Amino acid sequence: MKRQALLIETIASLFILLFIYTAFSKWLDFQDFVGQMNNQPFDNRYTPLLVWGIPSIELIVAVMLMFNATRSAGFIAANVLMLVFTVYVGLVTFHFFERVPCSCGGVIRNFTWPQHFAFNLFFLVIGLIGIVLYNREKRYLTSAKQVNQSLTKNNFYETH
């Protein structure tokens, strides 16, 4: 169980680092980010919502992954985000759009589209592993707690 818990912590930490890094890199180079969002293949009237919404959601998901009470929902939200980003990068990679836009931040901006697609797929896969392992660990801890409570209850009745 300790190795599984370490793997869960590692996966959560990777997502936390990724989302905090990408959110702040977008906001630190805000004018460029706005320009990149305006270069996307969708209507520019969505730009204000996207330039504030995407990094905000990334930060919210990062915070959710930091706490056990919200980690399960955080893993699900992280996977939804990565699925959306991966589908979008996949569409760009396979030339679905007429032009090749970019709204990536920091070091990720230097990736080629196939590298970015592979990077996103990696995070999507480890995110799915995180969901499975976290839910398995939660079930194990819940059943262990129930067994412990049952034993404690039985010992109470036997001694009184």
Side-chain angles (χ1 to χ4, degrees):
M1 253 0 225
K2 286 183 181 184
R3 192 172 11 189
Q4 183 171 307
L6 179 62
L7 187 55
I8 291 166
E9 288 299 321
T10 301
I11 293 169
S13 297
L14 287 171
F15 272 107
I16 291 165
L17 290 171
L18 174 67
F19 289 145
I20 288 174
Y21 171 74
T22 57
F24 279 106
S25 69
K26 289 168 185 159
W27 281 339
L28 289 173
D29 199 0
F30 192 72
Q31 288 305 100
D32 186 47
F33 181 46
V34 170
Q36 289 174 0
M37 291 308 290
N38 283 329
N39 190 40
Q40 299 303 310
F42 36 80
D43 197 322
N44 287 353
R45 66 182 149 163
Y46 299 116
T47 297
L49 175 67
L50 294 172
V51 297
W52 291 105
I54 292 172
S56 297
I57 291 169
E58 289 171 334
L59 289 177
I60 290 167
V61 172
V63 170
M64 290 171 70
L65 287 165
M66 291 178 190
F67 303 101
N68 278 331
T70 55
R71 184 163 283 173
S72 183
F75 270 127
I76 292 168
N79 276 281
V80 168
L81 273 179
M82 288 312 300
L83 179 62
V84 169
F85 295 156
T86 303
V87 167
Y88 178 75
V89 171
L91 291 173
V92 171
T93 300
F94 297 107
H95 309 291
F96 185 80
F97 304 115
E98 291 180 22
R99 64 187 190 298
V100 179
C102 186
S103 63
C104 312
V107 176
I108 298 169
R109 176 181 297 166
N110 297 323
F111 287 0
T112 64
W113 285 104
Q115 289 170 333
H116 196 157
F117 187 66
F119 179 84
N120 283 19
L121 281 176
F122 168 77
F123 270 91
L124 191 57
V125 168
I126 67 167
L128 292 171
I129 292 169
I131 287 174
V132 169
L133 293 179
Y134 188 74
N135 287 333
R136 183 185 303 161
E137 183 177 270
K138 243 173 46 177
R139 279 193 307 274
Y140 172 79
L141 292 174
T142 300
S143 67
K145 185 177 178 181
Q146 289 171 344
V147 166
N148 191 25
Q149 286 173 344
S150 176
L151 290 174
T152 303
K153 209 184 247 186
N154 288 339
N155 286 340
F156 174 79
Y157 292 123
E158 289 174 8
T159 59
H160 287 86

